[in-house]
Amino acid sequence: MRRFDGIALAILAALVVAAPVRAERVVRAPAPDVEAAATRKLETAVFAGGCYWGVEGVLSHVKGVHLAVSGFAGGPNSRRIDYARVSEGDTGFAESVRVTYDPKVVSYGTLLRVFFSVIADPTTLNYQGPDHGTQYRSALFPLNAGQDKTARAYLAQLSKSGLWRDPVVTKVERFTGFQDAASDHQDFMRKNPRHPYIMRWDAPKLDAFRQMFPDLYQEKPSA
């Protein structure tokens, strides 16, 4: 969905101005949240929320995030895959982002709050924005019991919140491993700020995050 020829790029560039962007909304903090373990300096979390360019681009600006890496999760990790193969939509993998963060600075629950406030629409099944297919589903991949408890409770909380007209369809999925995307897909938003796709779909999410969560925003993105 993100491979464009010259004509398509021109059309998409025009849509940057012409088409409205989904209205973001601040969701409540989750209860319960994962408590920071005094013996652990850094934690890891994995999120799938459509195109990984924007997911990585926003989460890399969250204070306490040390690293955000685009890649793939959800499929059988015994298979080696790449962007082209996952884009066929039948691998079970979803475009995902692995986040390394300091739980004493930002909690897993706070990352979830940012994710659902400005990154992913939890009511769209197997698509986000212009990207359709199971590889663009929204999903949470807990890496430990605390994350699993918080993720499941938060989805239930969001379902009862009344913030969306449609039901919440984001799922908690079993983590089977993570495979990094190719280097040209890493830090894509930072490296390509004038790319029409970034301007239309992802830059507004970063702007919304900056405005809605100023205390969480860091100007310099993590590596």
Side-chain angles (χ1 to χ4, degrees):
M1 292 298 293
R2 299 193 301 278
R3 295 179 178 177
F4 310 109
D5 57 24
I7 296 176
L9 280 171
I11 294 173
L12 187 56
L15 289 175
V16 169
V17 176
V21 176
R22 176 183 66 85
E24 287 77 13
R25 64 204 75 200
V26 178
V27 299
R28 291 180 178 271
D33 198 351
V34 181
E35 295 184 1
T39 57
R40 295 184 180 178
K41 292 184 178 180
L42 297 178
E43 295 283 358
T44 302
V46 177
F47 305 85
C51 171
Y52 46 32
W53 293 345
V55 181
E56 179 200 326
V58 173
L59 292 179
S60 66
H61 281 275
V62 177
K63 289 180 181 177
V65 169
H66 286 230
L67 182 66
V69 177
S70 290
F72 311 99
N77 208 43
S78 57
R79 299 181 59 186
R80 300 306 301 174
I81 41 79
D82 56 21
Y83 172 76
R85 181 68 185 90
V86 172
S87 294
E88 296 177 11
D90 61 353
T91 65
F93 286 91
E95 291 198 13
S96 306
V97 173
R98 183 182 66 224
V99 177
T100 303
Y101 64 99
D102 185 344
K104 295 184 290 296
V105 178
V106 61
S107 69
Y108 178 65
T110 297
L111 293 174
L112 289 176
R113 190 183 187 204
V114 172
F115 181 75
F116 286 115
S117 291
V118 300
I119 297 176
D121 184 338
T123 70
T124 55
L125 183 63
N126 295 332
Y127 76 92
Q128 291 289 315
D131 300 311
H132 291 239
T134 57
Q135 70 272 31
Y136 296 113
R137 67 187 183 273
S138 61
L140 305 175
F141 297 95
L143 273 66
N144 56 55
Q147 287 185 2
D148 186 83
K149 180 179 180 180
T150 295
R152 293 181 187 280
Y154 198 36
L155 289 176
Q157 178 181 322
L158 294 180
S159 293
K160 298 176 182 178
S161 68
L163 288 173
W164 296 275
R165 181 183 60 186
D166 298 319
V168 170
V169 295
T170 300
K171 300 296 185 183
V172 173
E173 299 188 24
R174 185 172 68 91
F175 180 68
T176 57
F178 185 90
Q179 297 186 39
D180 292 8
S183 59
D184 58 337
H185 285 274
Q186 305 297 338
D187 302 315
F188 193 90
M189 180 189 288
R190 177 178 62 81
K191 295 175 181 176
N192 303 275
R194 304 304 297 174
H195 190 287
Y197 184 98
I198 295 296
M199 294 174 65
R200 169 65 182 90
W201 296 103
D202 293 335
K205 296 177 182 179
L206 184 59
D207 289 340
F209 170 53
R210 182 189 299 111
Q211 295 171 20
M212 295 162 64
F213 298 96
D215 293 340
L216 296 175
Y217 178 80
Q218 60 181 6
E219 184 64 33
K220 184 179 179 180
S222 60

